[in-house]
Amino acid sequence: MFTALSDNVQATSTQNAASLHRAAKMLQQAENVHVAGFRASYPIVHTLLYGYRLFRRTVYLVDPATGSMEMHMRAFAKGDAVVIASFAPYSRESLEVLKVARQARCKIVAFTDSEASPLALEADACVLFSVNSPSFF
């Protein structure tokens, strides 16, 4: 398991050198950053939120557990960035956040598993990661 995880981290770093830089620049320039991830992707965005909140106060979680997702997405505005994490099968919620973010003219950063994912096809920056693992998690 350690070897598989180590290989995934190395592949992510190698494969995404340019896109990580592009994504970081978009996040740095955004007025607000909204992060969204549902089901198995929730730990990814919650970890990002926790770490990023140590450096920046204007980072927000799109969290249906704390109220209506619609209420969270009403805050999306031009000049903001939205980070969406999802992998196959892509959750309906992540696709809804993508749609609303695009309509609000936000910059979109996708954390996803394939260049052909619906998130990658719409994103301004895409960070690909592998879900290959000998363990479900």
Side-chain angles (χ1 to χ4, degrees), residues 32-54:
N32 300 289
V33 175
H34 309 271
V35 296
F38 308 95
R39 301 179 194 159
S41 297
Y42 180 80
I44 297 167
V45 298
H46 195 270
T47 302
L48 173 63
L49 173 76
Y50 177 80
Y52 203 12
R53 238 6 223 297
L54 296 171

Side-chain angles (χ1 to χ4, degrees), residues 36-95:
F38 308 95
R39 301 179 194 159
S41 297
Y42 180 80
I44 297 167
V45 298
H46 195 270
T47 302
L48 173 63
L49 173 76
Y50 177 80
Y52 203 12
R53 238 6 223 297
L54 296 171
F55 304 97
R56 181 179 185 155
R57 292 185 301 161
T58 57
V59 182
Y60 307 97
L61 178 65
V62 178
D63 186 359
T66 61
S68 168
M69 246 181 37
E70 179 187 358
M71 293 300 290
H72 292 279
M73 294 187 298
R74 282 186 187 180
F76 293 1
K78 184 178 180 183
D80 290 354
V82 178
V83 177
I84 310 168
S86 191
F87 52 90
Y90 310 100
S91 70
R92 278 188 252 147
E93 297 93 342
S94 66
L95 300 178

